[in-house]
Amino acid sequence: MHIKKYLLKCLHRLQKGPGYTYKELLVWYCDNTNTHGPKRIICEGPKKKAMWFVLTLLFTSLVCWQWGVFIRTYLSWEVSVSLSIGFKAMDFPAVTICNTSPFQYSKVKHLLKDLDELMEAVLERILGPELSHGNATRALNLTVWNYMPLVFINEQNPHHPVVLDLFEDDYNGSASSSPAPGRTCSAQGCKVAMRLCSHNGTTCNFRNFSSATQAVTEWYTLQATNIFAQVPKQELVAMGYPAERLILACLFGAEPCNYRNFTPIFHPDYGNCYIFNWGMREKALPSANPGAEFGLKLILDMGQEDYVPFLTSTAGARLMLHEQMSYPFIKEEGIFAMSGMETSIGVLVDRLERKGEPYSQCTMNGSDVPIRNLYSDYNTTYSIQACIRSCFQDHMIHNCSCGHYLYPLPRGEKYCNNQEFPDWAYCYSALRMSLAQRETCIDVCKESCNDTQYKMTISMAVWPSEASEDWIFHVLSQERDQSTNITLNRKGIIKLNIYFQEYNYRTIEESAANNIVWLLSNLGGQFGFWMGGSVLCLIEFGEIIIDFVWITIIRLVALAKSLRQRRAQACYDGPPPTVAELVEAHTNFGFQPDTATHGPDAGPHPHEQTPPIPGTPPPNYDSLRLQPLDVIESDNEGDAI
C-alpha cells in the first residue's frame, strides 16, 4: 500500500513538472552546505565571488587528485613484512637421508652391461683417437647408440663446422665439407656433443658441452634412464641400498633408534631414501632441549665400493631437513655429507606466513591451482616444487606422448623409452630448454601461504681419528656383518649430528600495508584540510546530485510529452474545429456525404434512409465552460482531485 502511494506521488510529480530550476537548487546548496567555500561564492561581492569560485575549484581538484592517489595505493594491495622472535619447545624436523648412488652395481650390472661396454669404447675413442677402434665396435651393441650418439664437432672454421661420428670410419661430415680420409679429431681439438634427432631423422639438435666429462655423464644418464624406465618399481627398490645396510647406528636424544624408525621412499635420482620423523604413521617427535646432545645422531655406511661407476661420480650422503608430511625434494634442496667426516648441523627455524588474495597469489592447500598434483599419492602437503614438476610432466606427456622417469606418472601413461618412443630424448631436450614451458609452469603454480624453512649451520671434522679408527672400524664391522675382520673403511663411513641450535624461532609475517582505516583516515584528512568538510558534507553533495538527476528526469518526461503532442497536431492540415462548428455539422442534415454513384443509369438506392425528423433542439453548447480532461491536482502532491 505504501509503495503504491509512493509511486502515485512520483507520477503526479512527473505530470506537474519540476518545482525549481538548476540555478535555484545550486543556490540553495551553496547557502546551506557545511563546506566553507560555496557559502562565500553567493554571499560576497562580484570580485570575491570570482576569487572564492577559483579557490573552491582549485582545492576541489586537489582533493580529488589526492583521493585518486590514495585509492590507487590501497588497490595495489601492498604488504609490509614484520619479523618476530619466539621461544618455545619445537617438534624435531623430518630428516631424509639418501645414498648418492641410487643402486648397488652388483645388482644392476646385468642391466647396464651393454651400456657400460659402449661407454668404455666411447672413452677409448675420446682419449685415444689414434688407436684403431674398428675391432672394438664390432662386438658392441649399437642399438642404444643409434638413438642418441655422441659426436665430435670441429669448429676451427666457425662458419662451416664439421660433425664427426665417434664410431664411423669414414667420418662423414654433416656440414658443408668432409675431412680428408685418415683425419682424426681429439677431445682437445673438438667439442664433444650429443646428437638428438626426431624419429624420421629430418630434424636434429646438437647439445654442446665445454667438457667431455659433462658430455659423457649426460649421455650415460639419458641412456640409463631409458633402461630403468622399463624396470618395475619393486625391482628398482630391491636393487637399491637397504636400510639395515645404510644405517649402522641411530640415537635420538637419550633414546636409541634403528633403521625401523625410518620410513622408506624411492627417489628416482637417489634410489632408496629413508625419512626419520616424517609424521605419517606416528606423532612428530619433540626436541627436549637445544644442543647436540639432544638431537639426532647417525652413523651411515655408504658402501662406496659398490657404486655404479659411470652413473655416480659423487661419494657421500645426501640429506634434507623438511616439515612433517611434506615430500622431500632432496635433489633440489638437499645438502651433501662427506665420507670419512663427522658433520654437525645446527638448525634454526624460520616460519613464513604470507597474505592470501588479493595481496599475493599464494595458496593454502593447492586446491585452487589448475595443475594435477602427481605427488598426492604420497599424502603429502602442497608445495611449489611438486606443482612445477607435475606441470612439467603434464607438458612432457602432452608433447612427447610419454612421461619422464624422474617424475611420478599419471595413471594410464607410460614412461619414455627408446623402443616405444624413439624420439623422446629429442622431445625432452627441446622441452627442458624451452623458456615458454618454464614460464607457463611458474605462472600457473603458486607458493604456499604457510611455510617452514630450516636454516642450517654446518661444520665438519675428520672421523674417526687415526688413533681411534682401528677399534671403531672393528666394532662397526662386527655389528654390521658379524666379521672379526675390518670390513669398513674411511671411504664409506659418515657420522651425522643434527640438532637445534636454540629454541628461538623467527616468524616472518606479511600484513596489509594499507588497510581500510588507513584509507579513510587519509581521505578524511585531505578533505578536511583543503575543504573544511566531513562525511556529512559528502552526504549533502550526494543529495544535491540526486536532486539534479530528478530534475533532469522530470524535464525529459515533460519534453517527451510535448513532442508527442506536437506530432498529434501535425496530422491535421488546419487548426482543430471549434465546438460550435462541431454542433452545427451535427444538426445540419443538409450536409450529407456524397456516397451514391452518379451516372446516367443511376437510380434511387433501395436502402437509402430518409433523414430523421428533428426533435428537441440541443442545448446551447457555447455556454458551457469546457475543461481539459487531465487530472487536476491540489497544492499537495499527495492529494489528487
Side-chain angles (χ1 to χ4, degrees):
M1 188 65 183
H2 295 286
I3 297 177
K4 182 177 180 181
K5 184 177 180 181
Y6 179 76
L7 294 177
L8 183 62
K9 183 177 179 180
C10 293
L11 179 62
H12 293 164
R13 180 64 182 273
L14 290 174
Q15 293 175 344
K16 185 177 181 180
Y20 40 84
T21 62
Y22 292 119
K23 181 178 179 181
E24 293 173 346
L25 182 63
L26 186 59
V27 171
W28 176 87
Y29 171 75
C30 293
D31 191 33
N32 292 277
T33 183
N34 290 321
T35 52
H36 304 311
K39 290 183 178 180
R40 307 296 296 271
I41 294 176
I42 63 173
C43 296
E44 302 292 343
K47 295 182 179 179
K48 288 190 176 182
K49 279 184 178 181
M51 181 189 69
W52 279 104
F53 177 78
V54 173
L55 290 177
T56 302
L57 184 62
L58 176 63
F59 291 152
T60 302
S61 302
L62 185 60
V63 168
C64 292
W65 173 67
Q66 289 287 345
W67 280 8
V69 171
F70 287 124
I71 293 175
R72 186 172 63 252
T73 303
Y74 175 75
L75 295 179
S76 63
W77 310 116
E78 296 179 354
V79 297
S80 59
V81 179
S82 60
L83 176 63
S84 59
I85 299 178
F87 178 84
K88 69 173 184 178
M90 293 178 288
D91 291 336
F92 199 76
V95 181
T96 299
I97 299 172
C98 308
N99 200 327
T100 54
S101 178
F103 306 107
Q104 302 179 69
Y105 188 57
S106 58
K107 295 183 178 181
V108 298
K109 190 174 183 179
H110 65 286
L111 296 176
L112 303 176
K113 180 177 180 298
D114 293 338
L115 181 59
D116 289 346
E117 292 177 355
L118 195 60
M119 184 68 171
E120 292 175 358
V122 168
L123 294 177
E124 289 178 2
R125 177 66 184 91
I126 293 175
L127 298 177
E130 70 281 356
L131 299 178
S132 175
H133 55 277
N135 295 331
T137 58
R138 292 193 190 100
L140 296 177
N141 183 3
L142 298 178
T143 303
V144 177
W145 174 265
N146 294 330
Y147 292 105
M148 290 177 283
L150 288 173
V151 296
F152 281 138
I153 298 182
N154 191 340
E155 295 183 345
Q156 295 179 359
N157 185 357
H159 301 287
H160 300 281
V162 179
V163 179
L164 309 174
D165 197 314
L166 269 70
F167 289 154
E168 286 186 3
D169 294 332
D170 55 353
Y171 296 92
N172 292 330
S174 63
S176 59
S177 60
S178 300
R183 179 180 174 183
T184 59
C185 184
S186 62
Q188 292 79 13
C190 299
K191 289 184 178 179
V192 181
M194 184 165 49
R195 182 170 59 196
L196 303 174
C197 298
S198 59
H199 181 43
N200 52 17
T202 57
T203 305
C204 293
N205 289 338
F206 294 90
R207 291 196 57 191
N208 296 341
F209 298 90
S210 59
S211 172
T213 302
Q214 297 174 340
V216 296
T217 301
E218 183 74 12
W219 173 80
Y220 189 93
T221 301
L222 281 178
Q223 300 287 18
T225 298
N226 165 66
I227 295 173
F228 294 135
Q230 304 176 63
V231 180
K233 183 178 178 180
Q234 294 77 6
E235 296 184 17
L236 295 177
V237 172
M239 296 174 185
Y241 286 84
E244 57 270 20
R245 177 174 177 179
L246 179 66
I247 303 170
L248 296 180
C250 175
L251 185 67
F252 180 70
E255 298 293 332
C257 51
N258 55 35
Y259 66 91
R260 296 184 180 88
N261 299 108
F262 290 75
T263 303
I265 185 175
F266 181 79
H267 195 283
D269 285 297
Y270 295 105
N272 295 334
C273 296
Y274 303 95
I275 307 177
F276 178 79
N277 194 33
W278 201 10
M280 288 292 186
R281 294 175 296 183
E282 65 283 339
K283 188 177 179 181
L285 298 175
S287 179
N289 283 299
E293 297 300 322
F294 302 94
L296 177 65
K297 299 180 180 180
L298 295 173
I299 298 178
L300 307 177
D301 178 19
M302 296 294 100
Q304 188 178 162
E305 67 279 356
D306 205 11
Y307 273 26
V308 181
F310 299 121
L311 186 62
T312 304
S313 58
T314 303
R318 185 78 170 175
L319 61 95
M320 175 185 171
L321 308 182
H322 54 97
E323 288 185 281
Q324 279 76 26
M325 302 185 69
S326 64
Y327 186 85
F329 293 95
I330 193 167
K331 183 178 181 180
E332 294 78 16
E333 302 176 8
I335 61 174
F336 283 112
M338 188 187 310
S339 299
M341 307 292 288
E342 178 177 353
T343 303
S344 297
I345 302 175
V347 181
L348 294 175
V349 181
D350 285 347
R351 295 178 178 174
L352 305 179
E353 298 179 3
R354 300 181 178 90
K355 293 281 289 183
E357 294 284 352
Y359 296 94
S360 68
Q361 299 296 324
C362 70
T363 178
M364 294 298 298
N365 53 14
S367 59
D368 54 342
V369 178
I371 294 293
R372 175 179 47 178
N373 187 7
L374 300 180
Y375 294 86
S376 58
D377 294 341
Y378 294 94
N379 296 323
T380 54
T381 57
Y382 171 86
S383 67
I384 191 172
Q385 296 282 2
C387 180
I388 291 177
R389 279 147 187 80
S390 300
C391 179
F392 180 84
Q393 187 73 307
D394 285 343
H395 289 180
M396 186 76 183
I397 294 173
H398 178 74
N399 294 289
C400 308
S401 303
C402 60
H404 197 273
Y405 166 73
L406 296 181
Y407 310 108
L409 192 66
R411 294 180 180 178
E413 303 295 340
K414 294 183 178 180
Y415 280 124
C416 297
N417 59 80
N418 294 338
Q419 286 70 26
E420 297 183 68
F421 310 96
D423 57 348
W424 77 268
Y426 170 82
C427 180
Y428 165 70
S429 178
L431 189 63
R432 190 174 68 169
M433 301 300 294
S434 173
L435 180 61
Q437 183 275 327
R438 292 196 297 269
E439 291 180 348
T440 300
C441 291
I442 291 175
D443 292 340
V444 172
C445 294
K446 300 180 181 180
E447 289 184 315
S448 179
C449 291
N450 297 321
D451 193 12
T452 300
Q453 296 181 353
Y454 296 97
K455 304 297 183 181
M456 295 177 286
T457 303
I458 303 174
S459 59
M460 291 181 292
V462 176
W463 185 87
S465 63
E466 294 183 0
S468 59
E469 65 179 359
D470 183 66
W471 72 267
I472 289 179
F473 287 147
H474 268 97
V475 172
L476 292 177
S477 300
Q478 175 68 24
E479 293 176 347
R480 189 184 72 166
D481 50 18
Q482 305 299 320
S483 174
T484 57
N485 299 323
I486 296 179
T487 57
L488 296 175
N489 53 57
R490 189 181 300 275
K491 296 180 180 180
I493 291 297
I494 295 177
K495 186 176 181 181
L496 294 177
N497 298 323
I498 305 172
Y499 56 91
F500 281 119
Q501 281 186 310
E502 54 188 22
Y503 273 168
N504 291 336
Y505 65 92
R506 299 187 304 176
T507 301
I508 303 174
E509 183 179 4
E510 291 182 351
S511 59
N514 307 312
N515 53 25
I516 191 65
V517 176
W518 173 88
L519 178 63
L520 294 178
S521 299
N522 284 278
L523 296 182
Q526 293 296 320
F527 189 44
F529 180 74
W530 296 108
M531 298 290 294
S534 62
V535 177
L536 296 178
C537 297
L538 296 178
I539 298 176
E540 292 175 353
F541 186 73
E543 181 184 8
I544 197 68
I545 293 296
I546 295 175
D547 290 340
F548 265 90
V549 173
W550 182 241
I551 292 176
T552 302
I553 294 175
I554 294 176
R555 291 198 172 193
L556 291 176
V557 172
L559 179 61
K561 185 177 180 181
S562 175
L563 292 176
R564 196 163 51 246
Q565 292 177 354
R566 291 180 183 178
R567 292 194 192 100
Q569 293 177 0
C571 297
Y572 302 94
D573 295 335
T578 63
V579 175
E581 292 174 347
L582 293 175
V583 172
E584 181 179 0
H586 180 73
T587 57
N588 186 3
F589 298 102
F591 181 76
Q592 297 295 335
D594 189 9
T595 59
T597 304
H598 300 280
D601 299 332
H605 199 278
H607 301 288
E608 184 178 357
Q609 297 180 358
T610 59
I613 301 174
T616 305
N620 186 7
Y621 288 99
D622 292 337
S623 63
L624 296 178
R625 296 180 60 187
L626 299 178
Q627 297 291 338
L629 297 179
D630 296 338
V631 178
I632 303 175
E633 299 184 23
S634 65
D635 293 336
N636 189 356
E637 295 180 359
D639 302 329
I641 299 176

